[in-house]
Amino acid sequence: MKTLFTLFRKNAYFFLPFLLWLIVGGVMLATYSQRELFLGINGEHSTVGDVLVTGITYLGDGIMFSLILLLMLLMQKFRVFFIGLAVFLLAVVVVQVAKHYFNAPRPISYFGDEAATLVHTVKWVTVHGSCSFPSGHSAGAFAMFSFLSVWLRNKKLGLLFIVLALTAGYSRIYLAQHFFADVYVGSIVGTLSTVIVCGFFRFRDSATSPEVCAEAVVNANAA
């Protein structure tokens, strides 16, 4: 427990806004229906927004996290690479198991005949119809940005990272790929993946060498 508290305290710029997101998002889920939340967000769109959001959504793509991991390899930060890889794989496994277990319909399928008039789609984006819950892109974005928040020395970047992660999640609703609940749970899966993996490595290192600084676990190769 002390290990997790240290992890949260040292990276408060990311985790405090994330906690606020959990509270606000939870209230929204309890207050509005799935249909209301989706149409309220997806219904606000523009031509410029279509272009911008199409690019933003790739922040949560597995390719982006893979490029970050590749960069770590090129920088010879092998310990950080393996921790990041573990975060990535944990998020992917949880998301894929949940997707195929629930096999929830995506918005385009959920609305059926109404989709043509109610759902905004971007013509150059392929809209999927199944395995909606949870959002893989949201999980990927939150896993990557929470991990970067923990790894990088400049903790204030956590504020930027949480905004980018939330923006990636928002893009999934804008592009009619997911519902609000999909994004919400995806954000939890991604962030918890970082907490679990980094918490494990911190605990293991502190148990082996109690004098090790709490920040040393993911920053050991950062210098």
Side-chain angles (χ1 to χ4, degrees):
M1 184 61 69
K2 182 178 180 181
T3 300
L4 292 179
F5 177 76
T6 300
L7 181 68
F8 291 133
R9 181 174 60 84
K10 293 290 186 179
N11 301 281
Y13 282 100
F14 182 91
F15 287 114
L16 282 181
F18 176 72
L19 178 60
L20 178 61
W21 152 246
L22 290 184
I23 295 172
V24 173
V27 170
M28 292 176 68
L29 283 171
T31 305
Y32 302 100
S33 68
Q34 175 173 262
R35 180 189 180 96
E36 290 173 326
L37 282 172
F38 174 81
L39 293 178
I41 298 173
N42 177 262
E44 297 296 326
H45 53 82
S46 66
T47 303
V48 174
D50 289 354
V51 176
L52 291 177
V53 173
T54 300
I56 289 171
T57 201
Y58 285 101
L59 289 173
D61 194 277
I63 295 176
M64 182 64 70
F65 206 156
S66 298
L67 291 175
I68 296 295
L69 294 176
L70 177 60
L71 178 61
M72 292 174 182
L73 277 181
L74 295 176
M75 296 170 66
Q76 298 185 355
K77 300 187 183 302
F78 301 116
R79 180 182 178 81
V80 181
F81 165 78
F82 284 114
I83 295 175
L85 180 61
V87 170
F88 175 70
L89 292 178
L90 178 58
V92 168
V93 170
V94 172
V95 165
Q96 290 305 315
V97 170
K99 276 182 176 292
H100 290 88
Y101 176 79
F102 293 105
N103 194 27
R106 300 208 187 204
I108 202 72
S109 297
Y110 175 86
F111 285 98
D113 295 336
E114 293 182 292
T117 55
L118 292 180
V119 179
H120 170 69
T121 59
V122 177
K123 60 183 179 181
W124 55 80
V125 175
T126 301
V127 180
H128 303 291
S130 61
C131 294
S132 185
F133 181 84
S135 167
H137 277 69
S138 299
F142 276 85
M144 180 178 69
F145 286 121
S146 59
F147 172 68
L148 288 175
S149 297
V150 172
W151 172 45
L152 295 177
R153 292 184 183 279
N154 186 352
K155 298 306 178 183
K156 291 183 179 180
L157 286 174
L159 286 174
L160 172 62
F161 291 148
I162 188 66
V163 170
L164 291 175
L166 287 170
T167 303
Y170 161 78
S171 74
R172 304 310 292 162
I173 304 174
Y174 185 104
L175 296 175
Q177 300 285 22
H178 288 285
F179 291 102
F180 186 91
D182 304 338
V183 171
Y184 184 79
V185 174
S187 73
I188 295 174
V189 171
T191 305
L192 278 183
S193 295
T194 292
V195 171
I196 291 171
V197 173
C198 291
F200 169 77
F201 276 92
R202 285 174 183 268
F203 176 77
R204 193 193 67 170
D205 281 20
S206 63
T208 303
S209 303
E211 71 279 5
V212 173
C213 172
E215 285 300 295
V217 178
V218 293
N219 289 333
N221 294 314

